[in-house]
Amino acid sequence: MAGHSKWANIKHRKARQDAVRGKVFTKIIREIVSAAKQGDADPDKNPRLRAVIEKALSVNMTRDTINRAVARGTGGGDNDNMEEVSYEGYGVGGVAVLVETMTDNLNRTVSEVRHAFTKHEGNLGTSGSVAYLFTKRGEISFNDISLEDEVMLAALDAGALDIENDGETLLVITEMDSFGHVKDALNAAGLVSNNAEVTMAPATTAEIDNIDDAEKVMKMIDMLEDIDDVQEVYSNVNFSDSVMAELEQ
């Protein structure tokens, strides 16, 4: 799935660029507060919190900001009226899209999510219409494939499920609960990843091989991500090499 990896790299780069402009910090802080509120304040005992902290660090959020968000969550009072809701739908080309939100106004959120789908020729589906296509898992990636033997030894010994090599990127796959432990083991072995996150991985991909459909999908995803209540957007899109070459120009 080299095309999928390239698309993932574009998303990660975009997330870092958005973070510089302060667009994602509020969402991540909200997620840290919620994760700390619902579980242990110690990320070693709270896999969800550990995963969100890794996301925060990947966009250069400071430890002080992260610690303050954790303290807000364990102190109570914040996000008491927030509800976590997922929405599911399809974009052009049969691309499945899963949208995770955190909201205090369900009517506002569903209206904005539906608008993003319909504006770009997509459709908001019913609950369960695409969720079955995705599995929550940890993904730790390395851009240096020459590290495969070292990464494989350290990762599998720490409990990783698998290591994939697409010729450009090494991808370590873990259970959500063992994500932090595997990443710590890799760090201890001197193997620092280029990206690490808990994500919703698709079981199958929807192939997009023309630039017009690709741009519609990307614009829809961008619009969904720009909604204040949206925390994360996952899709099973896979762009062809020719489309990726045009997108990266």
Side-chain angles (χ1 to χ4, degrees):
M1 291 195 353
H4 178 73
S5 296
K6 291 176 183 176
W7 165 234
N9 288 338
I10 286 179
K11 281 201 67 179
H12 297 149
R13 184 166 66 247
K14 177 181 180 296
R16 287 192 292 271
Q17 292 168 347
D18 286 348
V20 172
R21 298 192 295 270
K23 291 184 67 176
V24 299
F25 273 35
T26 299
K27 294 183 179 185
I28 293 178
I29 288 171
R30 186 188 302 160
E31 195 171 350
I32 292 172
V33 171
S34 179
K37 180 186 290 292
Q38 296 179 27
D40 199 291
D42 182 354
D44 290 334
K45 300 177 183 177
N46 184 340
R48 180 185 172 190
L49 179 59
R50 172 64 189 269
V52 183
I53 288 174
E54 290 293 342
K55 184 196 297 186
L57 293 172
S58 74
V59 293
N60 299 319
M61 184 178 289
T62 66
R63 283 284 182 181
D64 284 347
T65 301
I66 293 169
N67 292 339
R68 284 196 297 271
V70 172
R72 283 170 55 192
T74 55
D78 288 84
N79 286 11
D80 282 342
N81 60 343
M82 286 287 183
E83 186 173 354
E84 296 180 20
V85 184
S86 294
Y87 298 97
E88 306 167 42
Y90 286 95
V92 295
V95 172
V97 181
L98 182 62
V99 184
E100 294 182 347
T101 72
M102 192 175 295
T103 179
D104 58 0
N105 186 324
L106 288 173
N107 290 334
R108 176 191 67 221
T109 305
V110 70
S111 175
E112 292 180 348
V113 169
R114 180 181 287 111
H115 178 61
F117 274 100
T118 57
K119 183 177 176 65
H120 298 98
E121 301 179 25
N123 294 287
L124 184 63
T126 57
S127 178
S129 58
V130 305
Y132 72 95
L133 294 171
F134 295 85
T135 301
K136 181 162 282 191
R137 70 184 193 184
E139 293 187 352
I140 305 168
S141 62
F142 297 83
N143 293 342
D144 185 355
I145 61 173
S146 71
L147 297 172
E148 183 171 14
D149 290 344
E150 297 170 72
V151 168
M152 183 175 297
L153 181 63
L156 294 179
D157 190 53
L161 294 175
D162 197 9
I163 291 90
E164 296 180 356
N165 182 346
D166 67 5
E168 297 179 15
T169 305
L170 294 176
L171 185 66
V172 177
I173 300 168
T174 78
E175 299 277 7
M176 177 181 172
D177 288 350
S178 61
F179 167 74
H181 178 67
V182 174
K183 187 171 188 304
D184 286 344
L186 289 165
N187 288 345
L191 300 164
V192 180
S193 62
N194 294 96
N195 190 77
E197 63 180 340
V198 169
T199 187
M200 296 293 283
T204 60
T205 57
E207 306 296 321
I208 299 294
D209 57 10
N210 73 80
I211 191 64
D212 289 339
D213 283 352
E215 288 179 341
K216 289 174 185 175
V217 171
M218 288 189 69
K219 287 178 180 177
M220 183 181 72
I221 291 173
D222 283 345
M223 188 171 179
L224 286 166
E225 290 178 337
D226 283 341
I227 297 171
D228 288 342
D229 297 333
V230 170
Q231 292 297 112
E232 196 66 65
V233 180
Y234 303 102
S235 81
N236 70 340
V237 67
N238 188 45
F239 297 129
S240 67
D241 288 342
S242 60
V243 166
M244 284 302 304
E246 291 191 62
L247 290 174
E248 291 181 322
Q249 287 179 356

